[in-house]
Amino acid sequence: GNSNFVIAEPHEDVVERMEGIAELIATPPLAYDKISTHEVLCVNAGDIVATAMKLMARSEYRNLPVYNKNKLIGVLNGQRLMDILGRHLLNNDNIQKFIEKTTVGDIIAELGTVQYYTVVDEKITIEQVMNLFETNNKLLIVLITRAGTDEYPPLGIITKDDVIKMQKVLDVY
């Protein structure tokens, strides 16, 4: 046989893979840096629904955090709003009047306690966000604030649609 053959010679791709794993463990990619949309449009609880709908139409954003004074009270989600409007149409309610008289805060109250959003701090990793979506099927939105509490303005927003993007970042990391 060949006595010069070294069994433990690491292949270049193996070394690179192991270095990648080491880096992932040492400095995991943060969701805020890599994934979140940093421009977060918010509405006030006292704003009428028509105002929020116009903002959604102009921006093409489907999730608007709702603040009452300086405290987050919920997230206005376009699909959930459509469901409410649909129910009012089924009741033959005047939709124009409804969206001009109803506040965003009223809608948040009508949506009830279904937690389809969560608030996290800016140090959360992509992997941790992925876990949040995996463990809670109802979760649609992850809102990033400085301290991960609802007394702070949002720094970034991540939606369920970003899961594929997060997977790709982790794959190439």
Side-chain angles (χ1 to χ4, degrees), residues 61-112:
Y61 288 3
R62 295 292 162 256
N63 298 290
L64 304 175
V66 181
Y67 282 81
N68 187 3
K69 304 203 170 35
N70 289 326
K71 189 171 173 20
L72 179 74
I73 60 161
V75 177
L76 184 64
N77 169 266
Q79 186 56 54
R80 305 259 160 155
L81 180 57
M82 287 296 290
D83 296 345
I84 287 175
L85 293 175
R87 283 201 297 277
H88 284 278
L89 279 172
L90 289 173
N91 288 339
N92 292 317
D93 295 340
N94 178 334
I95 290 294
Q96 187 69 35
K97 197 167 137 193
F98 176 77
I99 65 172
E100 287 170 4
K101 295 271 184 276
T102 309
T103 67
V104 175
D106 295 335
I107 296 290
I108 294 298
E110 190 170 338
L111 287 171

Side-chain angles (χ1 to χ4, degrees), residues 130 133 158-168:
M130 297 275 288
F133 283 115
I158 299 172
T159 65
K160 207 171 187 120
D161 298 341
D162 293 321
V163 169
I164 293 157
K165 195 160 105 182
M166 287 188 280
Q167 194 56 63
K168 283 185 180 147

Side-chain angles (χ1 to χ4, degrees), residues 106-157:
D106 295 335
I107 296 290
I108 294 298
E110 190 170 338
L111 287 171
T113 55
V114 181
Q115 279 292 51
Y116 55 88
Y117 73 93
T118 190
V119 183
V120 298
D121 73 63
E122 60 189 331
K123 297 275 179 269
I124 196 165
T125 66
I126 291 176
E127 206 164 350
Q128 287 169 323
V129 173
M130 297 275 288
N131 279 337
L132 290 175
F133 283 115
E134 277 167 32
T135 55
N136 178 357
N137 294 337
K138 294 189 174 20
L139 187 64
L140 301 173
I141 303 135
V142 173
L143 210 55
I144 300 172
T145 69
R146 196 163 57 80
T149 62
D150 49 20
E151 288 94 42
Y152 290 91
L155 297 173
I157 193 168

